[in-house]
Amino acid sequence: MNIDKNTTILIVPGLRDHVPEHWQTLLEEQLVKAGQKVRSVPPLETDKLSCAARVAAMQQVVSEIDGPIVIVAHSAGCMITVQWAQQHSRAIQGALLAAPADLESPMPAGYPSTDAIAANGWLPIPRKALPFTSIVAASSNDPLGQYQRVVEMAQAWGSRAADIGAVGHLNPAAGFGPWPQVHDFINELCGA
């Protein structure tokens, strides 16, 4: 990666937080080994489903960073980022929003219900243009975000929609582990 060493990569995980074999966790390890500045929004101890608590946790980390920031979000982390951008003003160099979870649609078994998501402040999903460059990496067979709906969200946010193929929810359950393409997206956002 050819990222300016003054740029901080901010990892924004989804509701399942940090998963050991997840591409975001592996990316963070790679970046640290390469001497890149990297921060991650930490897991919540309480109010784990609260949108406000998640946005506040992201804001806390952002407020501690000096210099340029590139956000790398996944799943509900994309929604945390979009919600954060509606409430806070901070220059962001760019954001990768990978496999956004469509929280307005029913989730598969094992995920929070639409009623629980609504009760915790996630709905409606903001449809206002983001104040920074962004790329939405959309999977054609994501069980948590129907492709066309994700592309429509990307358009509303002013994001470039990137079709990343049939990669499920881009998580260990879908076979990811490492996701080499993330480096291309980060380089694009960094202007490399």
Side-chain angles (χ1 to χ4, degrees):
M1 273 192 186
N2 299 318
I3 307 169
D4 183 316
K5 294 295 183 189
N6 292 319
T7 299
T8 299
I9 305 300
L10 175 58
I11 308 288
V12 185
L15 295 179
R16 296 185 188 238
D17 291 311
H18 302 270
V19 177
E21 294 303 316
H22 195 284
W23 63 266
Q24 281 183 309
T25 306
L26 300 173
L27 174 66
E28 184 172 2
E29 292 169 4
Q30 290 173 342
L31 293 170
V32 168
K33 284 181 186 174
Q36 184 65 49
K37 288 182 176 181
V38 61
R39 292 290 306 272
S40 186
V41 177
L44 296 179
E45 297 301 319
T46 60
D47 298 326
K48 292 185 178 221
L49 194 54
S50 167
C51 180
R54 296 279 180 168
V55 170
M58 180 174 174
Q59 174 58 20
Q60 179 61 44
V61 175
V62 168
S63 72
E64 297 168 357
I65 298 172
D66 292 323
I69 298 173
V70 171
I71 297 168
V72 177
H74 176 255
S75 188
C78 301
M79 297 306 151
I80 295 165
T81 300
V82 171
Q83 295 276 0
W84 173 87
Q86 306 301 311
Q87 301 171 34
H88 298 279
S89 178
R90 163 71 193 261
I92 299 294
Q93 187 169 342
L96 172 61
L97 306 173
D102 179 5
L103 300 178
E104 293 173 340
S105 298
M107 296 282 132
Y111 288 88
S113 69
T114 305
D115 288 343
I117 289 167
N120 281 279
W122 294 94
L123 302 181
I125 294 171
R127 297 295 202 285
K128 184 178 173 188
L130 295 171
F132 43 79
T133 301
S134 56
I135 301 167
V136 171
S139 170
S140 62
N141 66 341
D142 189 341
L144 300 182
Q146 192 268 338
Y147 181 78
Q148 190 54 43
R149 291 222 0 125
V150 171
V151 169
E152 289 167 7
M153 285 187 271
Q155 291 168 342
W157 298 332
S159 304
R160 178 173 82 78
D163 183 340
I164 55 173
V167 297
H169 193 53
L170 193 63
N171 59 5
F176 294 86
W179 181 38
Q181 191 177 14
V182 69
H183 299 285
D184 296 333
F185 289 127
I186 293 172
N187 283 332
E188 179 180 337
L189 291 165
C190 290

